[in-house]
Amino acid sequence: MPDLYAGAGRRVINPPLGIRTFGFSSREGLVQAIESDLTATALVLTDGKTKIVIVATDTGWMELEVMNGLRATVADAVGTTASHVMINLNHTHSSPAMPEWFPDESGQIALQSRYQEDLRGWITEAARDADACLVPARIGAGWGECHLGVYRRETDPNGDVFLGEVPDHPTDPAVGVLRVDDTEGQPIATLFSYGCHPVTIGPRSLVASPDFPGAARALVENTMGGLSLFLQGCGGNIMPQGGLSMDADCRDEKNRTGYTLGAEVVKTASAIHTHRKRGERQSMGSLSRISVWPWEPVTGESCTRLDALDEVLSIEFIDLPSLAEAEAIREECRQAKDRALGGGREWEILVNTRFADWSDRLVEAIEHGRNHFEIVIQVIRINDFVLAANSTEAFYETGLAIKAASPFPHTQVLGYTNGCVCYLPRAADLPPGGWDIHKRWYGVPDLLFQAYSLPTAIHPDSEQRVVDRTLALIERLR
């Protein structure tokens, strides 16, 4: 009879002061303080044959190739395979930049490179710690509901989309909760997923922070015990209500948002019983007609299935421009960068440096015939619970589509996992007249493919292909 064993471990992953942050092109200045500890938390699950590692980290972005190497390192450290290691980025916009993210000056690149190397070590140590404290465990699942997120693709009177709030637009309020307990019902780890951009710490705040997921985790742990792992869902087009804070000190809003989510996690997790169940109705045997349902211990297998699959999927670009057109765009971008360097504000320098780097990659893609890039899709099954993930900024509609078609009632869908390659808009989210390489889509970040240094927009069928391949992997695990 297979039994489930579980262990959890954590490392603080705070960056050095003076490092640049990921996430806001309008943020001027470097990290001056740590708002609250950034962490990497690992959960290891095994049935004695198969071993799964799930890592939740307060990191905004990591390159796919770097993540592939990290997953392999973690797998070696605990004795499993890379396909069985899942690393989810919470996508906080107040986490350190990585050296591959932006063509920064040499001192910053060196600082970011040292931090990234430390981060890889800390994540591996957290997984090793979790593997070293395995105990018999049981797992249960539940769904909560939280309405802190709001649809952010607002439309102006001219029909142009910009980043705002559409309060009456549907979202996915589901909070997925997995409770991993020891055999006495005490929490080892509480996993919870929700799709929403962690941007309550706004661009005027020069701190490193896990944003609202950190406050949510703290509430869950202080109330429930054990460690908690926030897994970022499909939040590509979802913002916290209130949007970006323009305060220098954003802790109040961060805490309020995090506590709202964390309270729903506690409520949901408290209703999940892993070590006992409600028994048959009995009479108390007194003169009154009183019925009771006594608790009975849960017996039987604690692990009926533990498995994971991953797949590399090729995503195609729309047609690239001619080389001559691309070279003209590059010259325009280089001139704009030079003008910014000649007296522009810091944010103007950052933005124009990004576009200059993008234009170089555009020309390179045409010269080398690069017409696609890769993402990773991964599915983990634990008993009859499923985590389905991909390495994009997926929209909430993508998560709903996968959940609706999954044969498993409890299917949590995650973006930002094992890397973060690009936004994943659906065909319906792309401009009706087509994406224009000459237009600067500043108002709607999910169309600003230059922010990820992709030469052009992705093909309109890309999101549907991700949905289809994810469901195919889920079917294989059924």
Side-chain angles (χ1 to χ4, degrees), residues 62-76 81-87 89 100 116 120 124 310-313 373-378 390-391 417-421:
M62 288 183 76
E63 187 182 53
L64 189 68
E65 185 176 348
V66 173
M67 290 290 270
N68 288 340
L70 176 56
R71 292 173 69 202
T73 300
V74 171
D76 289 342
T81 61
S83 64
H84 288 49
V85 176
M86 172 182 282
I87 303 177
L89 312 174
E100 300 84 7
Q116 187 177 77
R120 288 189 285 201
T124 304
D310 69 359
E311 177 180 303
V312 175
L313 181 64
F373 64 101
E374 294 178 340
I375 70 168
V376 172
I377 298 171
Q378 185 182 30
N390 66 74
S391 51
T417 303
N418 303 324
C420 187
V421 177

Side-chain angles (χ1 to χ4, degrees), residues 72-364:
T73 300
V74 171
D76 289 342
V78 303
T80 189
T81 61
S83 64
H84 288 49
V85 176
M86 172 182 282
I87 303 177
N88 181 268
L89 312 174
N90 86 350
H91 199 56
T92 169
H93 283 38
S94 297
S95 63
M98 298 294 161
E100 300 84 7
W101 174 247
F102 180 79
D104 220 323
E105 53 90 13
S106 60
Q108 269 297 315
I109 294 296
L111 192 63
Q112 294 163 22
S113 297
R114 288 196 297 271
Y115 176 74
Q116 187 177 77
E117 190 60 32
D118 288 340
L119 178 62
R120 288 189 285 201
W122 290 327
I123 290 174
T124 304
E125 289 169 4
R128 203 178 272 126
D129 287 353
D131 191 52
C133 62
L134 295 169
V135 296
R138 290 188 176 275
I139 187 168
W143 290 105
E145 190 170 290
C146 183
H147 293 273
L148 68 86
V150 63
Y151 187 74
R152 74 180 196 174
R153 297 179 107 240
E154 191 172 345
T155 304
D156 67 19
N158 296 322
D160 292 328
V161 177
F162 65 97
L163 196 155
E165 289 190 6
V166 190
D168 57 346
H169 195 284
T171 62
D172 182 4
V175 180
V177 177
L178 291 177
R179 176 171 174 153
V180 184
D181 293 346
D182 65 20
T183 54
E184 300 299 316
Q186 296 304 304
I188 298 169
T190 304
L191 287 76
F192 61 102
S193 66
Y194 185 75
C196 183
H197 262 78
V199 290
T200 59
I201 301 291
R204 292 184 180 173
S205 185
L206 300 180
V207 298
S209 171
D211 211 276
F212 71 81
R217 286 196 310 261
L219 188 146
V220 174
E221 292 171 4
N222 291 336
T223 307
M224 305 282 299
L227 295 178
S228 65
L229 291 80
F230 169 79
L231 302 176
Q232 181 61 260
C234 298
N237 53 356
I238 301 297
M239 293 278 280
Q241 294 203 32
L244 302 179
S245 173
M246 297 309 293
D247 296 331
D249 184 350
C250 308
R251 288 173 294 177
D252 180 69
E253 191 60 30
K254 179 216 71 170
N255 287 334
R256 289 172 183 267
T257 303
Y259 296 159
T260 299
L261 176 59
E264 185 64 19
V265 175
V266 170
K267 172 187 167 184
T268 304
S270 296
I272 301 170
H273 297 273
T274 59
H275 69 303
R276 62 181 187 170
K277 61 183 179 180
R278 202 180 192 203
E280 297 293 329
R281 178 159 61 175
Q282 299 179 13
S283 171
M284 286 188 64
S286 65
L287 293 177
S288 301
R289 294 186 62 186
I290 300 176
S291 294
V292 294
W293 287 261
W295 291 107
E296 297 178 353
V298 171
T299 59
E301 296 177 330
S302 59
C303 187
T304 57
R305 182 74 180 272
L306 189 64
D307 205 352
L309 292 169
D310 69 359
E311 177 180 303
V312 175
L313 181 64
S314 178
I315 300 294
E316 295 181 355
F317 298 123
I318 62 174
D319 291 340
L320 294 166
S322 68
L323 180 59
E325 185 178 3
E327 289 175 336
I329 291 172
R330 181 172 63 180
E331 183 59 28
E332 292 173 5
C333 289
R334 287 178 174 178
Q335 291 178 7
K337 177 183 175 182
D338 289 341
R339 288 194 297 271
L341 289 171
R345 291 183 57 180
E346 183 179 351
W347 71 265
E348 293 175 299
I349 295 172
L350 294 174
V351 168
N352 284 288
T353 298
R354 164 66 73 191
F355 270 92
D357 176 66
W358 161 74
S359 67
D360 289 338
R361 301 195 191 200
L362 171 63
V363 171
E364 181 183 345

Side-chain angles (χ1 to χ4, degrees), residues 369-439:
R370 180 189 173 215
N371 61 0
H372 70 279
F373 64 101
E374 294 178 340
I375 70 168
V376 172
I377 298 171
Q378 185 182 30
V379 174
I380 291 176
R381 178 177 174 182
I382 312 164
N383 294 346
D384 283 335
F385 315 132
V386 169
L387 299 176
N390 66 74
S391 51
T392 74
E393 295 203 50
F395 288 11
Y396 86 88
E397 294 96 337
T398 299
L400 288 177
I402 293 171
K403 286 192 287 187
S406 172
F408 296 92
H410 192 96
T411 301
Q412 296 185 36
V413 186
L414 314 174
Y416 310 90
T417 303
N418 303 324
C420 187
V421 177
C422 68
Y423 280 96
L424 188 69
R426 304 167 302 150
D429 300 311
L430 295 170
W435 189 81
D436 186 352
I437 198 170
H438 297 284
K439 184 174 180 179

Side-chain angles (χ1 to χ4, degrees), residues 416-464:
Y416 310 90
T417 303
N418 303 324
C420 187
V421 177
C422 68
Y423 280 96
L424 188 69
R426 304 167 302 150
D429 300 311
L430 295 170
W435 189 81
D436 186 352
I437 198 170
H438 297 284
K439 184 174 180 179
R440 299 296 181 254
W441 303 89
Y442 295 124
V444 52
D446 51 70
L447 294 181
L448 190 65
F449 291 97
Q450 293 94 336
Y452 278 97
S453 292
L454 298 180
T456 66
I458 61 176
H459 195 278
D461 72 353
S462 300
E463 185 268 349
Q464 187 59 53

